[in-house]
Amino acid sequence: MITIRRLGLPGHRLTAALAVTTLTVLGVAACDSADDEGAPAAAALAWGPCPAAAPGTPRDPRLSCAKVKVPLDYGHPGGTSIEVAVSRLASTDTTKRHGVLLLNPGGPALAGLDTPSAMAPSLPKSVLDGYDLIGFDPRGVGTSTPQSCGLQNPGVAGLFPYPAADGSIDSNVQAARATARQCATKAGENLRYFTTANTARDLDRIREALGEAKISYWGQSYGTYLGTVYSSLYPDRTDRMILEGNVDPAHVWAGEAERWGKGMAERFPDAAAVAAGQNAVLGLGATPEAVTRTYLALADRLDRRPAPVPGSPQALSGALLRGVTYALLLHNDTLPVLAQVWKAAADLADGHVTDGDGKVLQQVFADTPPTPGVPADNQATMFLALTCGDAEWSHDVDDYAKRSAADREAWPLTAGLPANIWPCAFWPRPIEKPVAVTDQGARTTLILQNRRDNATPWDSGIGLRHALGTRAAFVGVDNGGHYVYHEGSACADNATVGFLESGRLPEKDIDCADVTKH
């Protein structure tokens, strides 16, 4: 369930996003008894101007920002402190205000200061009247004491361990070991404290600084795990929680990653059907099955011989093609663009790129300007800190090779990546076990899940539903892509808004089959 701000394409609510299956969260024993002992109370927030955004990136002038000091290590709350940046889009009618709605766009490790402004246009007046929309850069991310491993390739996609063309993972093992060593050397021991559990504890410090007895929360993608952990640690401080595109807390993180192959297989036919419908122009195949065969052959060809991209220092490899495909499968409205990307990639591999191909490739490979004061590898660093630091991974290199080979055969679209080795195999032991997620507690959570979600597959949403039991209601939508709300299902939208307005969950789980756009 990774979301990466790299592609130069407009996104839905967030800017361009590349999402990869989040790895599953192993059940964690809640370890919060010492969280507040000896810790100074959070100070009230001093709202003011927000930090500078990336060049060329507009920032909503209605947003105000502040910083909250939190302990680096909640086991020693009086020790070193770090800062968490928070933003606010105030309620539009204070007489109707219910409380605060914290928003997290996922990642892992996406900055979130602009999320209130990105979400607001899709929300009805009743929600904008009822809540202060609160964004935040999670600890270590963006302007919240940003962390860096000093990675030479700063993008998250560069971490994805696709095997070699022949299926070998030897180079992946070397890269994973080197990356883990680089983070240990550059970022140091403190990186171990930048975990989801500590981020959840930070949210409670934000709640306290806001002067609220409870918070409502809307998390997308990785943000669903963060929300689940928060409500498990602080059930009495959780008001209304919406979780959209979900992580299974029983599979953090290696297990969640291994679901990616099946998720891609479930989602890919939607895009293949779009391409088949344009076969007269694209020439990729007249049926979804034919398009799939063309795509697999093209990816294999680019694995063996990457094609230089005109006007870019990059070459298009099979891994890069798969990454771009993954990103553009997140939204239904980018499926036609994805079909054009496949056509451009095929032309590029053949050595003849048209003007139209060039424009498509230029759009896809456009770089996002860096945010002032934030290291270029910040998201990649924090992606590793979270996925490697939340739960321990296997250290058995031979087992990774076996499982990757089996996964490669079972799910050819992902070529063995989901079960392959990551730097987490060489990471220090986590500072604590994952937070235990159970079905005990108040009924405060609405789960939104698409049937064909390539980033956090249907199986993960069902896993979270089972984990929360009667604490949650479930809205399943017959749709593709990673986002549920405001994506064409009035059934899902009405359930979401109704819950935010009233605090009442649907009595029974809902199946929505009314999607009006694909």
Side-chain angles (χ1 to χ4, degrees):
M1 107 169 112
I2 280 190
T3 312
I4 306 169
R5 283 184 186 159
R6 281 286 294 177
L7 298 180
L9 294 168
H12 167 70
R13 297 179 253 173
L14 312 173
T15 53
L18 172 49
V20 180
T21 326
T22 31
L23 324 168
T24 355
V25 190
L26 302 171
V28 191
C31 178
D32 227 39
S33 59
D35 279 358
D36 297 315
E37 293 182 9
L45 295 175
W47 297 105
C50 292
T57 303
R59 176 151 282 164
D60 189 339
R62 298 173 299 168
L63 277 181
S64 54
C65 289
K67 291 281 184 80
V68 178
K69 283 192 174 182
V70 300
L72 170 69
D73 175 7
Y74 277 89
H76 297 88
T80 301
S81 63
I82 58 175
E83 290 186 322
V84 175
V86 181
S87 64
R88 178 182 65 179
L89 191 62
S91 161
T92 52
D93 187 341
T94 56
T95 65
K96 299 178 180 179
R97 181 182 180 277
H98 170 74
V100 295
L101 178 60
L102 273 69
L103 306 169
N104 181 270
L110 276 182
L113 288 185
D114 292 309
T115 306
S117 298
M119 286 286 291
S122 69
L123 298 173
K125 188 175 187 298
S126 60
V127 174
L128 298 177
D129 286 347
Y131 296 89
D132 292 343
L133 302 185
I134 305 296
F136 59 98
D137 286 354
R139 64 163 50 204
V141 174
T143 55
S144 294
T145 314
Q147 301 298 295
S148 172
C149 289
L151 301 175
Q152 186 174 4
N153 182 350
V156 177
L159 299 173
F160 298 161
Y162 284 100
D166 62 358
S168 168
I169 72 164
D170 291 347
S171 63
N172 304 126
V173 173
Q174 294 174 13
R177 183 180 284 111
T179 298
R181 185 184 303 117
Q182 173 74 13
C183 283
T185 301
K186 177 69 165 59
E189 179 73 11
N190 283 351
L191 194 61
R192 299 177 66 205
Y193 297 98
F194 290 83
T195 64
T196 298
N198 278 341
T199 303
R201 294 171 181 125
D202 295 344
L203 294 191
D204 204 57
R205 292 302 182 92
I206 293 172
R207 175 201 60 78
E208 185 179 356
L210 290 167
E212 300 287 336
K214 294 185 176 183
I215 60 170
S216 293
Y217 176 90
W218 189 330
Q220 299 165 339
S221 195
Y222 161 81
T224 65
Y225 181 51
L226 175 59
T228 301
V229 170
Y230 180 83
S231 67
S232 297
L233 292 176
Y234 305 104
D236 296 336
R237 301 171 193 174
T238 303
D239 187 4
R240 303 166 189 181
M241 179 164 288
I242 296 171
L243 304 178
E244 177 186 13
N246 296 277
V247 174
D248 183 346
H251 288 252
V252 176
W253 282 112
E256 187 75 16
E258 291 197 33
R259 283 179 168 161
W260 185 22
K262 185 172 184 285
M264 281 289 287
E266 292 168 342
R267 172 59 165 159
F268 191 89
D270 291 342
V274 171
Q278 303 176 45
N279 186 50
V281 175
L282 302 178
L284 297 172
T287 65
E289 294 78 13
V291 171
T292 302
R293 289 193 295 270
T294 299
Y295 173 83
L296 289 171
L298 176 60
D300 180 71
R301 182 180 175 187
L302 292 171
D303 277 338
R304 299 173 191 282
R305 188 175 181 180
V309 178
S312 167
Q314 298 190 70
L316 182 60
S317 64
L320 192 51
L321 176 67
R322 294 183 189 97
V324 172
T325 296
Y326 191 90
L328 296 179
L329 287 173
L330 295 178
H331 306 290
N332 287 325
D333 57 8
T334 55
L335 297 187
V337 178
L338 177 55
Q340 295 172 14
V341 169
W342 291 341
K343 191 262 186 185
D347 288 348
L348 188 66
D350 289 338
H352 55 80
V353 179
T354 67
D355 289 344
D357 294 336
K359 291 178 181 178
V360 170
L361 293 169
Q362 184 178 22
Q363 187 181 23
V364 168
F365 291 103
D367 282 332
T368 301
T371 300
V374 178
D377 72 332
N378 176 239
Q379 192 193 354
T381 295
M382 285 304 302
F383 167 76
L384 290 172
L386 293 163
T387 55
C388 301
D390 281 350
E392 189 166 11
W393 289 56
S394 167
H395 305 286
D396 187 338
V397 173
D398 290 340
D399 187 54
Y400 283 109
K402 293 175 183 176
R403 290 190 294 109
S404 180
D407 194 80
R408 183 180 177 90
E409 183 174 356
W411 309 110
L413 286 168
T414 47
L417 162 67
N420 201 359
I421 195 166
W422 293 73
C424 306
F426 305 103
W427 211 257
R429 185 182 298 274
I431 58 172
E432 61 180 302
K433 294 181 180 180
V435 173
V437 176
T438 74
D439 59 1
Q440 302 300 305
R443 198 163 181 263
T444 58
T445 301
L446 183 67
I447 300 171
L448 307 177
Q449 183 67 44
N450 281 335
R451 284 255 173 206
R452 301 181 306 283
D453 180 344
N454 58 298
T456 49
W458 177 260
D459 290 352
S460 293
I462 294 297
L464 177 60
R465 175 72 187 91
H466 290 161
L468 294 182
T470 57
R471 292 172 56 195
F474 184 87
V475 177
V477 183
D478 185 12
N479 199 7
H482 193 33
Y483 300 95
V484 178
Y485 177 77
H486 204 58
E487 287 291 326
S489 172
C491 166
D493 292 355
N494 291 339
T496 303
V497 172
F499 176 51
L500 286 174
E501 289 175 340
S502 69
R504 293 189 297 273
L505 288 170
E507 292 184 6
K508 297 181 180 179
D509 290 352
I510 300 174
D511 289 323
C512 295
D514 65 335
V515 174
T516 56
K517 59 181 180 180
H518 290 276

